[in-house]
Amino acid sequence: MTDSVLLIIDAQQSFYHRGYLEAPETPAFELVLSQLADGCRAKGIPIVDILHVESEGAFAAGSGLVVRLPFLQHQAAATFRKTVHNALTDSGLQQWLEQRQVKHVIISGLRTEQCCETTARVASDFGYRVTFVTEATLTFPLTHNGMTLSIADLRHRTESVLIDRFAAIRRVDDCLQELT
């Protein structure tokens, strides 16, 4: 039995309405997330899908879009729905992890600086060892006060605030190599 689990956060079709298909990084994201999921499956690491639900729009349960992205072909050990930015506090995931004596969570999915980063911070605060696989996360440029942060800027910022505080930052190959 392993004490690790791969969390795939918000990799759902709802993002078709938020620029997912237009992002130039999408093909690379799909490739590395598939590699991470395949590698975890081969090592017996459970994969958990986390889906974000809102009361209306593309993230509403009734929209038909709160389902994982079609390139993901893994068998999920569990699927949880959340209504907040982190995957642990309102979804039932925290209890599921405790029941299985999970000590290590691997973070991947959508959006790098929002739900993925927030989950990493909360997981660290709850005492989990956290591995953040930045290349297996995707986000979109953000503009605030006339300044646009690129995807690269957002990834760099997220890594900078997480590393040595909340998470180990790893590439897919390094993450998989470290798993026993």
Side-chain angles (χ1 to χ4, degrees):
M1 183 159 124
T2 180
D3 70 346
S4 298
V5 67
L6 171 61
L7 303 180
I8 300 180
I9 301 168
D10 300 349
Q12 64 194 68
Q13 293 181 27
S14 307
F15 277 101
Y16 288 156
H17 294 271
R18 298 235 177 123
Y20 177 80
L21 294 174
E22 292 81 35
E25 289 81 359
T26 295
F29 163 73
E30 290 183 358
L31 177 67
V32 295
L33 183 53
S34 294
Q35 290 171 341
L36 181 61
D38 291 346
C40 284
R41 182 177 58 240
K43 290 180 177 283
I45 306 296
I47 302 170
V48 175
D49 289 329
I50 310 295
L51 302 171
H52 188 83
V53 180
E54 296 176 357
S55 59
E56 57 187 42
F59 288 83
S63 71
L65 299 171
V66 182
V67 294
R68 73 175 173 210
L69 290 164
F71 76 91
L72 293 167
Q73 299 297 311
H74 62 273
Q75 177 69 37
T79 300
F80 295 93
R81 292 175 178 235
K82 65 180 183 60
T83 59
V84 297
H85 290 99
N86 83 82
L88 294 161
T89 60
D90 82 336
S91 64
L93 174 62
Q94 168 67 4
Q95 295 79 10
W96 187 88
L97 295 172
E98 286 177 357
Q99 290 168 353
R100 283 152 186 80
Q101 300 178 350
V102 171
K103 305 289 183 227
H104 174 225
V105 294
I106 303 162
I107 307 288
S108 67
L110 282 137
R111 293 191 59 170
T112 307
E113 80 293 352
Q114 290 183 27
C115 297
C116 294
E117 180 182 324
T118 304
T119 299
R121 289 172 179 259
V122 172
S124 175
D125 284 350
F126 282 171
Y128 294 99
R129 183 168 56 94
V130 179
T131 300
F132 196 91
V133 186
T134 313
E135 70 178 337
T137 68
L138 181 68
T139 194
F140 313 102
L142 287 176
T143 301
H144 176 68
N145 287 339
M147 181 179 170
T148 299
L149 295 176
S150 69
I151 292 170
D153 293 337
L154 290 166
R155 285 182 168 165
H156 176 76
R157 182 220 152 268
T158 293
E159 287 182 347
S160 296
V161 298
L162 290 179
I163 195 166
D164 298 330
R165 293 175 194 87
F166 300 99
I169 307 300
R170 297 290 185 266
R171 296 187 56 78
V172 169
D173 292 342
D174 297 328
C175 174
L176 293 173
Q177 189 173 13
E178 291 174 4
L179 293 171
T180 57

